[in-house]
Amino acid sequence: MNFDDLSAARPDLAFIAHWVPPNAHVLDVGCGDGVMMDYLQSDKRCSGYGIEIADDKVLASTRRGVQVVQQDMENGLALFGDNSFDTVLCLSSLQMMKHVEALLRDIVRVGKEVIVSFPNFAYWPHRVALLRGRMPVSKSLPYEWHDTPNLRCATINDFRDLAHDCGVEVIDCVALAEGKRVDFLPNLRGDLAVFRLRKKA
Amino acid sequence: MSSLGYVTPQTMHFAEPLPLQSGAQLRDYMLMYETYGTLNADKSNAVLVCHALNASHHVAGEYEGKPKSTGWWDNMVGPGKSLDTDKFFVIGINNLGSCFGSTGPMHTNPATGKPYGATFPVVTVEDWVSAQARLADRLGITQFAAVMGGSLGGMQALAWSIMYPDRLRHCVVIASTAKLSAQNIAFNDVARQAILSDPDYRGGDFYEYGVVPKNGLRVARMVGHITYLSDDDMAEKFGRKLRAVADDIAATGTYKFDFGVDFEIESYLRYQGDKFSEYFDANTYLLITKALDYFDPARHHGGDLSKTLAATRAKFFLASFTTDWRFSPERSQEIVKALIDNRRQVTYAEIDAPHGHDAFLLEDPRYLNLVRAYYDRVWNDINAVKEAA
C-alpha cells in the first residue's frame, strides 16, 4: 500500500503517518483492518504488531500481511515490555475503552512515543446538535446514543487534562477536519483530535 | 469422500542409529509417511504436518476400499482448502513409538527378536523432530515453507523452530503450549495408571500372551476425552439425559439403581473408550503421554521462554480456542509474549469456539479462513524469495 492509496482511503491516517519515522518498531492498538500497519510496513519499512479483538478485522489484518495479535486491549498490554516500541498508535479506539486512564498509562509505558486520536466532542456541529437538545450524530460520531461503541466523550481540552494528570508530555496536538489540519479554533472546528505524547523525562 | 481422493502411505527405512534424549538410541527404524500435492522444482513448497496423540501420518484423503478412512485433518488439508495441496507439498509423518506403522513397541526389537513392548525407549518431542528432519533430508527438503501442528503436533512445530531455525520459514502452532501444566501431567498420569494397573498389561509384554489391556486403555481414553471437551459443550450435547434402554423406548426419568450405564454421557464415553481400545496400543499411549509431559524447551534456559525462543528464525502463526482448558489461550499467549520479546513476526488468533480442545480439528469458518489467509502469506513469501533469487 502506498501513500496515495492511504490518503484516499483514510486521510486522517495519512496525516498521522507523517509522525511515524521510517523503520520504526510500531504497535497499533486497535488496528482494525490493518490498513495503517500495512502502509507503514510496505511504504516506511516499519515492523511491529497490531492488536485487535474483532474476528473479521483480525482476518482482514492477516490478509494484509499484518502481524495481528487478537486480544481485548481493555485487558492491558502485558504482552509487551517497557519502551519496546518506537511508536505506539491508538487511533480512534481509546474512546471505546472502559479503562481509558489505565490503558493510556500502559500505552505510554510500552512506547517511546505515542499517537492517540479520538473524535472531538466539541466539534461545532456536535455543539449545535446539543443546543438543539439532541445527541450529536455526525461523520466522526456516526452512531445513535443507544448503539454507540464509544463509551467516552472527550474534547481536545479534556484530553489535555488527562495527559497532564497521567504525567504525560504532549509533544504535539492537532485537530483534523475531514483529514485536514485545522489551526484556527481547533477545538471548535476539528472533528478528530490527534495527540503526540511521550513520558515526561 | 475426501476432495483429495485416494492416498497411499509410504515407508522409509533408516539404518543409521538415532540417538535419543534419554541417552538410549534406536539402532534401526522405519517411518511411515504420506504426501499430498507436488514438490516444486526448488523444493520450497513443502509443509510438514505433525500429528497429535492419537493421530498418524494419515492427515488427509482416503484409503481405497476403506470407507470412513478419511484423514484426521481432511477439513484443513486438500485441494483449495486452508492448506492448499494445489500449491503446497504436504507431508504427514507417523512418529516413532506410534502404533500406526512407524517403528513402535509392537515391532520386533532386533536385539531380542521379541516385540519391544515396554522396553521401547521413551522418546521425546525433540527425538521425533530429529527423526522427521532425517526424512526431510532424504526427500531433499532443506527448508520447509511451514511446519504445522495442533496440540502435541504444535509442540513439534515449536521444537522445529528451536532445533532447526533455518529449516522452516513459518511455524504454525494451533491449540498448543510450550509446556504442560501440573493439571495436564496429572491427567496423563491417571491415564497411564489405568493402563499400568490393568492385569492384561503384563508389564508391557501383553503381545506374547495374546491379550490387550483394554480396560486400561478405555479408562485412559475416557479421562482424555473429558479433557478435550468443554463443560458447556458436554452440557449441551448430553446434559443429564438418560440413555434409552431400547431403540424405541426412551427410559425417561427412570434410574436403574445399579452401576451400569444410566446417563448418555456415560454411554458416549464408554463407546469412545471401547472404540479406542480396539485400535490403539497401550505402550504407545504410555510413550506419547510421557513425551507430552517431558516437553519443556525452556527447561534448558532456566525456564525463560523468551531466551529459548531467541534461537528461532521462523515467522509464526498461533491460534487458541477460548473454551480449551487443556491447552488454554494463556499457554499460547506465553509463546506469543516470548516471540514478541524477541521481535519475531507473529500472528495470533484467539477463536471464540465452544468445543474445548477438540475445536482445533473441527469445522469453524473463522478458524479455517484465518489459516487460509496465513497460508496465502506463506505462499507469497516463498514466491517473493524466488523472485529475489
Side-chain angles (χ1 to χ4, degrees):
Chain A
M1 167 166 271
N2 61 33
F3 190 76
D4 292 342
D5 294 338
L6 184 69
S7 298
R10 290 286 302 273
D12 58 321
L13 298 183
F15 177 87
I16 292 166
H18 288 301
W19 283 349
V20 182
N23 303 307
H25 195 51
V26 179
L27 179 66
D28 187 351
V29 182
C31 69
D33 64 2
V35 63
M36 185 64 153
M37 282 305 292
D38 182 5
Y39 166 73
L40 293 174
Q41 285 175 183
S42 47
D43 208 45
K44 297 192 107 170
R45 300 174 310 281
C46 292
S47 58
Y49 312 94
I51 295 177
E52 180 53 53
I53 187 165
D55 289 332
D56 56 335
K57 289 173 179 165
V58 170
L59 179 61
S61 292
T62 305
R63 285 191 173 138
R64 285 181 181 277
V66 171
Q67 314 300 318
V68 59
V69 173
Q70 187 167 28
Q71 73 155 109
D72 187 351
M73 60 204 214
E74 199 82 82
N75 298 336
L77 304 175
L79 286 175
F80 309 96
D82 297 358
N83 300 315
S84 50
F85 295 93
D86 299 309
T87 305
V88 179
L89 305 171
C90 185
L91 306 179
S92 300
S93 45
L94 197 64
Q95 79 280 358
M96 299 180 193
M97 294 295 105
K98 206 168 150 192
H99 308 288
V100 173
E101 188 185 331
L103 184 61
L104 181 62
R105 286 179 191 274
D106 224 14
I107 286 172
V108 174
R109 173 185 67 81
V110 302
K112 291 169 196 153
E113 201 170 297
V114 166
I115 302 169
V116 171
S117 73
F118 58 90
N120 178 25
F121 206 75
Y123 180 44
W124 69 266
H126 300 162
R127 299 188 193 198
V128 170
L130 283 168
L131 278 173
R132 287 186 174 150
R134 292 289 186 172
M135 279 300 279
V137 176
S138 69
K139 231 178 178 177
S140 69
L141 289 175
Y143 305 97
E144 294 290 343
W145 66 273
H146 51 85
D147 71 349
T148 177
N150 298 326
L151 301 181
R152 310 296 177 187
C153 306
T155 70
I156 293 176
N157 295 341
D158 295 322
F159 188 82
R160 202 184 284 278
D161 289 349
L162 178 67
H164 179 265
D165 292 347
C166 292
V168 175
E169 180 190 348
V170 176
I171 310 168
D172 242 322
C173 165
V174 167
L176 301 182
E178 313 238 329
K180 290 200 181 63
R181 185 176 175 134
V182 178
D183 290 315
F184 177 62
L185 299 176
N187 199 30
L188 183 68
R189 296 178 58 233
D191 61 17
L192 190 77
V194 189
F195 279 80
R196 197 172 169 192
L197 312 161
R198 70 175 163 223
K199 283 178 276 291
K200 272 196 183 136
Chain B
M1 181 72 201
S2 159
S3 56
L4 200 54
Y6 295 128
V7 298
T8 315
Q10 306 172 64
T11 56
M12 199 180 272
H13 178 257
F14 296 82
E16 194 195 336
L18 183 74
L20 304 171
Q21 277 204 326
S22 64
Q25 62 169 26
L26 268 177
R27 211 171 72 184
D28 186 79
Y29 60 96
M30 195 180 75
L31 291 177
M32 196 95 169
Y33 68 103
E34 278 177 21
T35 69
Y36 325 109
T38 312
L39 187 61
N40 61 10
D42 62 353
K43 302 188 177 184
S44 63
N45 69 334
V47 175
L48 174 64
V49 176
C50 306
H51 71 77
L53 202 157
N54 64 330
S56 71
H57 52 284
H58 185 39
V59 178
E62 264 180 54
Y63 295 143
E64 193 166 7
K66 275 195 184 171
K68 291 187 183 177
S69 64
T70 309
W72 57 272
W73 225 352
D74 194 77
N75 60 1
M76 176 71 79
V77 179
K81 293 191 177 156
S82 300
L83 174 46
D84 189 348
T85 51
D86 288 336
K87 292 175 177 167
F88 294 101
F89 177 66
V90 179
I91 308 173
I93 305 178
N94 189 211
N95 286 325
L96 290 168
S98 172
C99 51
F100 295 118
S102 292
T103 302
M106 72 282 287
H107 290 125
T108 306
N109 180 351
T112 62
K114 291 203 304 184
Y116 279 104
T119 67
F120 192 87
V122 172
V123 280
T124 62
V125 167
E126 286 81 357
D127 293 333
W128 287 335
V129 168
S130 306
Q132 290 161 5
R134 285 190 176 178
L135 192 139
D137 291 343
R138 293 261 293 265
L139 294 176
I141 297 160
T142 49
Q143 186 185 56
F144 283 104
V147 177
M148 176 188 199
S151 190
L152 174 58
M155 290 176 168
Q156 292 159 59
L158 192 63
W160 263 95
S161 76
I162 300 164
M163 294 167 65
Y164 301 104
D166 298 319
R167 294 197 67 174
L168 65 164
R169 298 192 65 78
H170 294 263
C171 184
V172 179
V173 179
I174 315 276
S176 194
T177 176
K179 62 170 190 282
L180 290 193
S181 65
Q183 188 191 46
N184 259 314
I185 295 171
F187 280 122
N188 282 344
D189 198 45
V190 172
R192 281 192 295 269
Q193 290 306 319
I195 291 168
L196 292 167
S197 59
D198 184 325
D200 283 339
Y201 181 63
R202 311 252 174 152
D205 296 327
F206 53 89
Y207 315 101
E208 303 175 25
Y209 298 90
V211 292
V212 170
K214 274 198 170 186
N215 279 321
L217 267 170
R218 280 173 73 213
V219 175
R221 180 58 173 172
M222 286 166 82
V223 173
H225 207 89
I226 295 166
T227 69
Y228 304 144
L229 303 177
S230 72
D231 192 14
D232 286 349
D233 199 25
M234 245 192 216
E236 170 121 339
K237 268 193 200 137
F238 307 103
R240 291 185 53 85
K241 264 187 294 205
L242 294 173
R243 186 173 163 242
V245 277
D247 286 346
D248 52 349
I249 311 162
T252 40
T254 316
Y255 290 166
K256 295 202 316 211
F257 296 100
D258 62 20
F259 302 116
V261 171
D262 276 310
F263 295 94
E264 277 290 352
I265 181 63
E266 294 173 308
S267 162
Y268 173 78
L269 282 179
R270 287 180 195 207
Y271 172 74
Q272 292 295 333
D274 282 340
K275 223 172 56 173
F276 188 71
S277 70
E278 271 156 32
Y279 71 81
F280 212 80
D281 179 76
N283 285 311
T284 293
Y285 203 92
L286 299 176
L287 285 168
I288 294 186
T289 54
K290 215 61 196 171
L292 272 160
D293 293 358
Y294 282 160
F295 185 64
D296 181 10
R299 204 166 70 101
H300 310 294
H301 299 268
D304 188 332
L305 190 61
S306 299
K307 276 189 193 153
T308 312
L309 296 185
T312 63
R313 291 289 170 268
K315 298 167 184 165
F316 286 78
F317 176 86
L318 286 94
S320 69
F321 299 88
T322 50
T323 55
D324 183 353
W325 55 280
R326 188 88 197 247
F327 292 79
S328 70
E330 288 74 16
R331 300 290 83 74
S332 287
Q333 285 165 15
E334 286 164 3
I335 302 173
V336 170
K337 183 176 188 326
L339 290 168
I340 289 172
D341 286 344
N342 286 293
R343 292 200 175 189
R344 292 291 169 268
Q345 292 200 19
V346 51
T347 293
Y348 170 59
E350 214 164 276
I351 293 149
D352 187 14
H355 305 297
H357 187 53
D358 261 357
F360 91 90
L361 295 168
L362 301 177
E363 199 76 38
D364 182 330
R366 286 167 305 173
Y367 162 48
L368 293 176
N369 285 338
L370 259 175
V371 176
R372 177 194 303 274
Y374 193 77
Y375 272 107
D376 285 343
R377 268 159 66 173
V378 176
W379 181 246
N380 293 338
D381 184 35
I382 59 175
N383 286 305
V385 172
K386 240 186 258 181
E387 273 167 34

